[in-house]
Amino acid sequence: DVLSLLTNAFDDEGKLSSTTFPSLGRLRSKVRTLKRDILSTVDSILSLSSTKERLAVESGGALTMEINGRLVIPISQDKYSQNSMMGIVHDASRSGKTAYVEPTEIVGPTNELRQAEGELRAEEARVWRELTESIIRHRKELERNVKVIGHLDVVMGRVRLGRKLEGCVPEVGEEGVVSVKEA
């Protein structure tokens, strides 16, 4: 039934419902878990003294940032070259003093996260197609209902206006003449 489908399709935030579409719920949960695990791993890496001595934070910048969907940490360029096993360089500062490095420990999990996000986008697109196809199948019925609701809305608006203006329903005689008294 299109009414129940549309009624239950969205959550309180207006997003596609994870309850109505459990596959979306599973994928969203997977994405949240992967993000949490990646952030936890990065926090652990940042707490290591070997990492702390390589950080390029003299400018007071953030300890992490995202570049092209990859979480990176700012490492002093001269200290990075001493240990290139630290991770993948995704960018460098304009001055060339800082390399933005994705730690090796999160490369695999980040790839898995990107994969899960792609699966989530594909599943959301599939659900939107399903909803659209359902609406198209019930198009005539929906159009008819919209017309009826529009007509009812006009009638109710007239009733509210009449009450607000303390109006009354005119009496029309058999000849089609309206007699206006005390107008």
Side-chain angles (χ1 to χ4, degrees):
D1 173 48
V2 74
L3 177 61
S4 65
L5 178 63
L6 292 176
T7 301
N8 298 315
F10 304 97
D11 62 18
D12 294 338
E13 297 172 8
K15 294 184 340 183
L16 290 171
S17 170
S18 293
T19 304
T20 305
F21 307 103
S23 56
L24 289 179
R26 284 188 297 276
L27 287 167
R28 287 174 178 158
S29 177
K30 182 178 182 179
V31 166
R32 277 191 305 274
T33 300
L34 286 166
K35 283 182 179 180
R36 185 183 61 238
D37 292 349
I38 289 167
L39 289 173
S40 176
T41 301
V42 169
D43 285 343
S44 296
I45 292 168
L46 289 172
S47 69
L48 298 172
S49 59
S50 60
T51 303
K52 286 180 183 177
E53 63 190 31
R54 290 186 172 97
L55 287 175
V57 290
E58 64 276 347
S59 63
L63 290 180
T64 62
M65 61 185 346
E66 194 173 306
I67 297 177
N68 298 324
R70 311 301 287 198
L71 200 58
V72 297
I73 56 177
I75 301 293
S76 294
Q77 187 69 41
D78 58 333
K79 294 182 180 165
Y80 174 77
S81 57
Q82 295 171 3
N83 181 5
S84 61
M85 298 304 291
M86 191 167 192
I88 299 169
V89 175
H90 285 280
D91 203 358
S93 64
R94 284 187 221 138
S95 67
K97 293 181 179 178
T98 303
Y100 296 100
V101 179
E102 178 182 17
T104 304
E105 297 88 339
I106 65 168
V107 171
T110 301
N111 290 343
E112 189 178 348
L113 172 62
R114 294 295 157 252
Q115 177 74 29
E117 288 171 335
E119 291 170 9
L120 177 58
R121 281 189 303 275
E123 184 62 12
E124 286 175 337
R126 186 196 66 75
V127 169
W128 279 114
R129 276 191 307 278
E130 179 183 308
L131 289 172
T132 302
E133 289 166 1
S134 180
I135 290 168
I136 289 169
R137 279 192 307 275
H138 295 89
R139 181 175 155 219
K140 297 285 185 200
E141 179 184 342
L142 291 168
E143 287 174 346
R144 185 176 59 249
N145 289 343
V146 167
K147 281 183 180 180
V148 169
I149 290 169
H151 181 70
L152 288 174
D153 191 41
V154 169
V155 169
M156 292 305 297
R158 288 178 181 168
V159 168
R160 283 192 301 274
L161 180 61
R163 286 183 181 154
K164 185 175 182 176
L165 297 176
E166 297 178 4
C168 63
V169 178
E171 291 183 27
V172 180
E174 290 182 27
E175 304 86 36
V177 177
V178 176
S179 175
V180 181
K181 295 179 183 175
E182 299 178 33

